[in-house]
Amino acid sequence: MVMKKMHYIITLFCLLLSLGLSVEGAVLSGTDLTLNSAGSSGTIDLVLDEAPTGLAGYSITISFNPQSIAEVSGVTWPSAFSLKDTNPVPPASTITIVAVDLSDVITIGAADISLATIEVTAKADGSTEMQMTINELTDDSGNPISATVSKPHITVGTATPTVTPTTTPTTEPTIEPTVEPTTAPTTVIPTEVPTIEPTAEPTAEPTQVPDSDSLLAEFTAMPMTGTPPLVVNFTDHSTGNPKKWKWDFGDGTMSTVQNPTHVYGGIGRYTVTLEVMSGNFSSIARKPELIRAVGDYPLGPSGFAIVTSQPSGAEITMGDLYLGTTPGTLIIPAGSRSLTYLMDGYLNKTVAVTIRPGELKLIPKVMLKTAS
């Protein structure tokens, strides 16, 4: 009887062990990338293979090992993420990307989720590994998602430099003595030099100079002061027919829309920057402390915190200091802080957070409970 019971236990243990081994956590991966030479660029797609309980948002730090081979030159996000940012603004060898799905587009059971597309620019020939550190990865209930990382590889340059030395010594000595004497007296060299140089230079210069001279970034904002949440409409007045726009609202968020509307959820003075681009040319307009969301401003070194809640619209306070509402990017004094979420009809929720100067931090979504 004891042996039979032991047999059942062993069988059950083996079954549970096999089930445990067959269940794998989520995997964050990126596509490998090969670039021709220094200065060339390509993209790496970051994909989360599964989100059984949905995906509310993430914060991922990207770096390279070694750093001398490549850097991040740009980041784009899928439309599912309506709140997103980077710190610092690329180009950078180490960068933190943050995104939040405010509209619950990525639902329970989602698979092969595109998180971002990373533009990578080569700095030197060689190979490097793109490191990805998950700072925050939360589901729709505000719980952390466990995931492993599969690191993509970047290769700059090809194998041709190693092949050329072996073929050159055997080929050149046999060709030079026989070809050069016969080709030197011919008219190939004198006819090519005068015809190519004069036609290329005059046609290229006149078409580029007017574009760079006429492209000038300029914009206005209305209103420029008020109490948060402060809704500001930005209007582009740039000249020179720009094709792309890049806004930095000064609170850790950006936009590529020509005439965006932005909500400042936190108290502070915000410097706004607009960069416009046309072809290879760009122009930047920067207006220090253009937007002023009035109130008691946190003094001293500070960072940014992206805050969300379910439901949205909760007020965030730090002691007696009002910081803003959810969702939003708030200015938080550096250090260990306690943020309290307040909303009529719901229980207060306090979250402990540590912010470093200049840091952009994603705080997991706070689920507010109804007051009974």
Side-chain angles (χ1 to χ4, degrees):
M1 184 71 179
V2 173
M3 291 298 297
K4 188 174 182 181
K5 184 176 181 181
M6 182 64 68
H7 175 73
Y8 284 144
I9 293 174
I10 293 173
T11 303
L12 180 60
F13 175 78
C14 293
L15 178 61
L16 291 175
L17 182 62
S18 64
L19 289 174
L21 292 175
S22 64
V23 178
E24 299 179 355
V27 177
L28 170 65
S29 62
T31 51
D32 291 340
L33 178 63
T34 299
L35 300 174
N36 293 330
S37 59
S40 58
S41 300
T43 57
I44 293 177
D45 295 322
L46 299 190
V47 176
L48 185 68
D49 68 337
E50 62 177 2
T53 52
L55 177 64
Y58 67 82
S59 171
I60 300 171
T61 298
I62 296 173
S63 60
F64 298 93
N65 184 24
Q67 291 190 351
S68 58
I69 304 300
E71 66 180 359
V72 175
S73 52
V75 182
T76 57
W77 291 266
S79 58
F81 299 105
S82 51
L83 185 62
K84 61 267 186 183
D85 200 5
T86 65
N87 185 39
V89 176
S93 296
T94 301
I95 190 170
T96 298
I97 62 172
V98 178
V100 180
D101 175 16
L102 293 177
S103 303
D104 293 331
V105 176
I106 305 170
T107 55
I108 295 174
D112 295 329
I113 306 147
S114 176
L115 299 185
T117 298
I118 310 299
E119 182 182 21
V120 177
T121 298
K123 298 165 64 177
D125 286 355
S127 62
T128 184
E129 187 178 66
M130 193 172 90
Q131 311 282 330
M132 296 183 291
T133 302
I134 299 174
N135 307 314
E136 298 286 349
L137 190 64
T138 57
D139 65 12
D140 288 336
S141 299
N143 299 315
I145 300 173
S146 177
T148 57
V149 174
S150 177
K151 304 169 185 176
H153 295 270
I154 299 98
T155 303
V156 182
T158 62
T160 51
T162 58
V163 177
T164 305
T166 59
T167 57
T168 302
T170 57
T171 308
E172 284 192 325
T174 57
I175 295 176
E176 281 188 22
T178 57
V179 176
E180 278 200 316
T182 56
T183 55
T186 64
T187 58
V188 176
I189 294 175
T191 54
E192 288 188 26
V193 173
T195 54
I196 294 176
E197 284 195 63
T199 54
E201 289 190 48
T203 54
E205 285 187 353
T207 57
Q208 293 178 350
V209 173
D211 286 344
S212 62
D213 289 344
S214 60
L215 188 64
L216 183 63
E218 182 53 52
F219 66 92
T220 58
M222 288 296 292
M224 292 185 289
T225 186
T227 57
L230 178 60
V231 180
V232 181
N233 297 310
F234 292 92
T235 305
D236 169 50
H237 296 288
S238 303
T239 59
N241 193 28
K243 304 298 182 184
K244 295 181 180 179
W245 298 262
K246 183 178 180 181
W247 296 85
D248 184 339
F249 298 118
D251 63 350
T253 57
M254 296 180 294
S255 174
T256 56
V257 177
Q258 182 179 4
N259 298 303
T261 297
H262 183 63
V263 179
Y264 289 90
I267 296 167
R269 300 181 179 184
Y270 302 97
T271 296
V272 182
T273 304
L274 169 63
E275 179 181 8
V276 294
M277 291 152 281
S278 180
N280 294 327
F281 302 106
S282 66
S283 177
I284 297 176
R286 183 175 181 271
K287 301 188 178 183
E289 298 188 0
L290 177 69
I291 306 301
R292 300 191 177 193
V294 297
D296 294 329
Y297 182 68
L299 301 176
S302 59
F304 297 103
I306 294 181
V307 293
T308 57
S309 66
Q310 181 64 39
S312 297
E315 295 184 348
I316 308 295
T317 61
M318 187 179 68
D320 295 331
L321 182 63
Y322 170 82
L323 297 178
T325 58
T326 62
T329 303
L330 309 182
I331 298 177
I332 309 293
S336 298
R337 308 296 178 185
S338 293
L339 306 183
T340 301
Y341 294 65
L342 308 169
M343 193 170 188
D344 290 341
Y346 293 84
L347 298 176
N348 297 348
K349 176 73 174 181
T350 299
V351 174
V353 59
T354 299
I355 299 284
R356 296 187 299 269
E359 179 186 12
L360 175 65
K361 192 177 188 70
L362 171 64
I363 299 177
K365 182 189 288 184
V366 169
M367 310 299 292
L368 297 176
K369 297 181 179 180
T370 55
S372 55

